[in-house]
Amino acid sequence: VAKLFFATQAASRQRAGDVLAALVRQGRLQAKRFPKAAGTEAGESYFTLMPPKQSKQRPDDPQSLNFDLQTLWLCTLSTDRFHRLSLQETRRLFPTPPHHHVRHVIGDEGDGPFVSRVYPSSVDVKSTIANLKKFMSEARSKYGLGPWIDTGDYGFYVLADHPTKVSDIGQAILSPRQGAGPLADQARIHVGFAPTSTQVSQAMRT
């Protein structure tokens, strides 16, 4: 840096100017000038850092924080351990990057690693199954993950906050549907228990 910006050779000074100009074009620096002194030409130029761009990402609401806690439980305290993929990891991994609110984990059941989209169960089994079918369709049509699903390399993990709900959702996934086989035959699907923040808080107080 010192050689680039403080060198005496004209060529080096030109390179420094090129770097500054590039940073201005990229929106990282803003070019300004000092006020002109009385009886002189325009003042010397200087550069300031541009303020960071405001993220359009919505702040996490209580429901999102609950989901993060449940995903953390899955990755650290469930019977089968998983690793939660960061947004950067999913962007490198998938043909079409998912939305930043979508959570993914990677696990291994002995037949090789697989990736699962994680999502919390809905208020009832019917809504949970409807969401599951929607996510399965999106994975194939929107994200191009059909080949992954067909080979078992991509699946879905439903997190429920009560053992009874885990059992009911599991039975619904395994049950044949009218005019079609069970959902479990169409993709790798897991259902597991993960408490909400309210449940954890209550347990800590008792």
Side-chain angles (χ1 to χ4, degrees):
V1 173
K3 289 181 179 180
L4 181 61
F5 284 94
F6 300 103
T8 57
Q9 292 91 349
S12 294
R13 291 198 301 272
Q14 179 61 44
R15 287 199 300 272
D18 292 342
V19 170
L20 291 171
L23 292 174
V24 171
R25 289 195 302 271
Q26 294 170 12
R28 300 185 182 187
L29 290 180
Q30 184 177 17
K32 296 183 178 181
R33 285 187 179 275
F34 289 107
K36 183 177 65 171
T40 66
E41 298 296 329
E44 292 290 331
S45 61
Y46 67 100
F47 299 87
T48 61
L49 291 173
M50 292 291 287
K53 295 181 179 179
Q54 294 296 322
S55 173
K56 296 181 180 180
Q57 177 176 331
R58 294 175 297 173
D60 281 342
D61 53 26
Q63 186 176 1
S64 295
L65 294 176
N66 256 337
F67 187 18
D68 282 330
L69 177 63
Q70 289 183 301
T71 306
L72 178 63
W73 180 283
L74 169 66
C75 293
T76 58
L77 296 174
S78 63
T79 303
D80 299 315
R81 298 298 174 86
F82 292 85
H83 165 72
R84 178 176 175 175
L85 295 174
S86 67
L87 183 60
Q88 290 73 22
E89 288 172 325
T90 57
R91 284 175 173 170
R92 291 196 301 266
L93 189 61
F94 298 137
T96 302
H99 193 272
H100 66 265
H101 280 164
V102 177
R103 276 76 161 177
H104 284 91
V105 297
I106 187 168
D108 191 340
E109 293 181 326
D111 57 348
F114 63 93
V115 177
S116 291
R117 172 175 178 168
V118 185
Y119 77 99
S121 61
S122 303
V123 293
D124 54 51
V125 175
K126 184 177 180 181
S127 299
T128 301
I129 297 301
N131 282 335
L132 178 57
K133 290 192 289 186
K134 172 187 173 184
F135 296 151
M136 290 171 64
S137 176
E138 283 183 352
R140 290 182 179 275
S141 62
K142 187 175 181 180
Y143 299 117
L145 295 173
W148 290 43
I149 294 175
D150 294 338
T151 57
D153 295 326
Y154 186 91
F156 305 85
Y157 207 115
V158 186
L159 298 177
D161 58 7
H162 194 279
T164 300
K165 188 181 288 188
V166 172
S167 177
D168 291 344
I169 295 172
Q171 290 180 9
I173 291 172
L174 292 171
S175 299
R177 296 168 297 141
Q178 186 175 4
L183 281 177
D185 290 348
Q186 298 183 19
R188 190 172 198 152
I189 304 173
H190 294 80
V191 186
F193 168 76
T196 64
S197 58
T198 302
Q199 290 172 316
V200 172
S201 177
Q202 292 174 346
M204 294 175 66
R205 292 173 183 171
T206 58

